[in-house]
Amino acid sequence: MTNALIENAKAILRRNDKGSYTVPTHGLYPFQWNWDSALSALGFAHFDERRAWREIETLFAHQWPDGMVPHIIFHEEDKGYFPGPDVWQTGRPTPTSGITQPPVAGFAVRRLFDRVLDRDLAERKARALLPKIHAWHSFFYRDRDPDGTGLVAITHPWESGRDNSIDWDAALDRVPRDGLAQFQRRDTDHADPTHRPTQHQYEGYIALVQAYRDAGWDNRRLHAMAPFKVVDPGFNGILLRSCADLADLADLLGERDIARKSHDFVTKSLAALDDLWSDRHGQYLCHDRQTGAAIESASVGGLIPVFAPIPKARAAAIADRLATLARTAEYLAPSHDPTDPRFDAKRYWRGPAWLIVNYMISDGLAQAGQHAMAARLKLDSLRLIERNGFAEYYDPITSEGCGGGSFTWTAAMVLEFLSAQDQAA
């Protein structure tokens, strides 16, 4: 069974490979997505090291001058996707979106550097990517944390990677929709509409795109004018892990300035992250910068920070929280608490389990010494694959595969999980 899974996973990566970048899956997502690419590179590294590096290089070839790396790169025209370049209008030489996504690339590059066999290639590629990744991290702390709190804000739900999370409901409802242009969604042409965000949510997403487009995509002032401004602990945890990994990699490569600045980011942000901790929920919570209040929503976004070097006591509490979730979810980790009346087992980020999230949480738990729960997440991930193939995400109660099929980063995570299993054996 293991060999068959490995070969199927490799076949999916090859099928979705466009030469210098991968698409997450054909039809539903026909372009290059930011954090998809970084995590997919980890899958390629198991059988084609040069291709793994090329994936990340292509992503950073489209970095903006201010350091931001966009969440979509529109390499080819495809009328089957909305919103396309005609909606974003970012004016880039190769069209891109105007927002970003969780900055997992620093972690991915460090992991590639540590694992690949061609050391000369790894050093050359990593050295070239270091300043680009650092520029992206600096963008966040400059333009998304202008008051220097140590925590960065997202200005669009799509930036979180958890598009329709219950975390965003109240903040998204406050987004003005006056003057919203009519639009035709395409995602429901490729996936079950009951698995996708609602029309009301999509109207909020597009209203934000229009507002930022009208502001000229000027990141120096978008934080101040953004009608949606939320500090997501999951996003910040991923940024923290990438900064920590980049700092260590820069130390190894003798890039002292990048190492020092990255270590400084980590020190300040780790202290600030603890302000988002909720003893009542046993996890971190989002913070709404518009209202100044915590968002009472126990989502998986509050568990992802274990991916960062958080205190061991916090990691243990997150392991306990996952054990509690396992009483009502057959498969970890649900993207929202199944006991919450807003939980929806099949609708995108309002309940389903995602292998990329399981991978990050499992990795962080293992780093913190929480090996039993880390192993449970790996086991559940492989059980989901064996029962329902390489889906985009899964119903955590029934294991039904939802969203897109033959999904690139799902396949990449299977290769990662099976590799880690082999190393532990």
Side-chain angles (χ1 to χ4, degrees):
M1 177 63 76
T2 297
N3 288 339
L5 285 179
I6 289 172
E7 292 309 311
N8 286 339
K10 290 179 180 178
I12 288 171
L13 264 70
R14 292 187 181 107
R15 189 181 313 145
N16 293 336
D17 185 1
K18 304 289 281 187
S20 60
Y21 68 96
T22 51
V23 297
T25 188
H26 291 282
L28 184 59
Y29 303 108
F31 307 111
Q32 182 179 18
W33 260 258
N34 185 323
W35 69 326
D36 292 71
S37 270
L39 293 169
S40 297
L42 298 178
F44 277 114
H46 290 281
F47 60 97
D48 190 339
E49 292 181 14
R50 289 184 178 275
R51 181 63 189 80
W53 288 111
R54 192 181 314 129
E55 185 75 24
I56 299 177
E57 288 173 329
T58 301
L59 178 65
F60 278 89
H62 301 279
Q63 187 171 28
W64 285 23
D66 63 6
M68 189 189 82
V69 182
H71 97 294
I72 306 174
I73 302 164
F74 301 103
H75 292 282
E76 300 175 354
E77 186 174 345
D78 191 313
K79 297 297 186 183
Y81 178 82
F82 175 87
D86 57 324
V87 176
W88 292 96
Q89 298 178 22
T90 55
R92 304 297 302 155
T94 297
T96 74
S97 66
I99 60 175
T100 190
Q101 265 188 329
V104 73
F107 157 77
V109 166
R110 173 63 196 271
R111 183 137 290 185
L112 286 178
F113 183 86
D114 287 344
R115 287 186 175 176
V116 296
L117 300 176
D118 190 333
R119 303 313 305 160
D120 290 340
L121 176 71
E123 182 167 340
R124 188 167 68 253
K125 298 294 187 181
R127 195 178 293 280
L129 285 165
L130 268 179
K132 297 178 181 181
I133 299 172
H134 178 62
W136 190 20
H137 294 171
S138 298
F139 152 78
F140 284 117
Y141 290 112
R142 182 187 66 242
D143 292 341
R144 297 302 183 83
D145 182 25
D147 293 334
T149 67
L151 296 173
V152 309
I154 58 170
T155 56
H156 195 294
W158 287 342
E159 290 194 317
S160 69
R162 302 184 296 114
D163 302 17
N164 69 330
S165 172
I166 292 165
D167 294 348
W168 324 133
D169 285 358
L172 190 62
D173 282 346
R174 294 196 306 267
V175 172
R177 288 160 168 80
D178 301 337
L180 181 64
Q182 288 189 337
F183 62 88
Q184 181 62 50
R185 294 172 61 175
R186 301 290 184 181
D187 57 318
T188 50
D189 296 340
H190 304 286
D192 186 334
T194 64
H195 297 177
R196 302 292 298 167
T198 65
Q199 182 66 18
H200 176 71
Q201 288 163 344
Y202 240 87
E203 289 170 358
Y205 304 152
I206 302 306
L208 287 170
V209 171
Q210 289 185 186
Y212 302 154
R213 182 187 66 200
D214 293 346
W217 299 111
D218 183 355
N219 280 312
R220 293 169 299 178
R221 61 193 185 99
L222 281 187
H223 182 277
M225 59 83 66
F228 179 96
K229 198 157 37 202
V230 177
V231 176
D232 173 14
F235 191 101
N236 278 271
I238 292 169
L239 175 58
L240 259 167
R241 174 61 180 271
S242 281
C243 284
D245 282 344
L246 198 75
D248 291 344
L249 186 56
D251 275 329
L252 286 171
L253 295 175
E255 298 290 343
R256 302 302 179 204
D257 187 57
I258 291 176
R260 177 181 58 78
K261 290 176 179 176
S262 296
H263 282 301
D264 288 347
F265 286 154
V266 172
T267 299
K268 185 171 186 177
S269 295
L270 268 178
L273 184 67
D274 212 52
D275 292 339
L276 302 181
W277 182 261
S278 167
D279 284 328
R280 184 165 74 87
H281 292 282
Q283 64 171 81
Y284 298 90
L285 296 180
C286 294
H287 176 80
D288 191 332
R289 275 197 177 151
Q290 295 289 73
T291 64
I295 297 174
E296 295 290 329
S297 175
S299 78
V300 78
L303 307 179
I304 292 173
V306 76
F307 187 50
I310 61 173
K312 293 281 181 71
R314 295 292 191 227
I318 286 176
D320 290 343
R321 174 71 179 138
L322 284 160
T324 299
L325 291 170
R327 297 173 192 158
T328 49
E330 178 67 21
Y331 303 89
L332 293 174
S335 48
H336 203 79
D337 187 338
T339 64
D340 189 317
R342 299 168 294 180
F343 171 82
D344 188 331
K346 292 180 173 60
R347 197 179 287 276
Y348 215 34
W349 287 96
R350 301 179 76 85
W354 296 70
L355 258 68
I356 53 131
V357 171
N358 282 4
Y359 172 74
M360 290 187 287
I361 294 176
S362 176
D363 183 89
L365 287 170
Q367 296 282 337
Q370 298 294 325
H371 297 292
M373 186 53 70
R376 168 67 191 270
L377 284 159
K378 292 178 186 178
L379 175 63
D380 282 7
S381 297
L382 295 174
R383 289 168 64 216
L384 287 168
I385 294 294
E386 290 168 355
R387 283 160 174 72
N388 283 296
F390 295 82
E392 184 177 1
Y393 48 96
Y394 301 85
D395 183 320
I397 311 299
T398 68
S399 81
E400 178 185 343
C402 303
S406 298
F407 221 79
T408 303
W409 69 5
T410 302
M413 296 302 95
V414 168
L415 293 174
E416 282 286 283
F417 279 133
L418 290 175
S419 170
Q421 198 174 68
D422 290 344
Q423 291 167 7

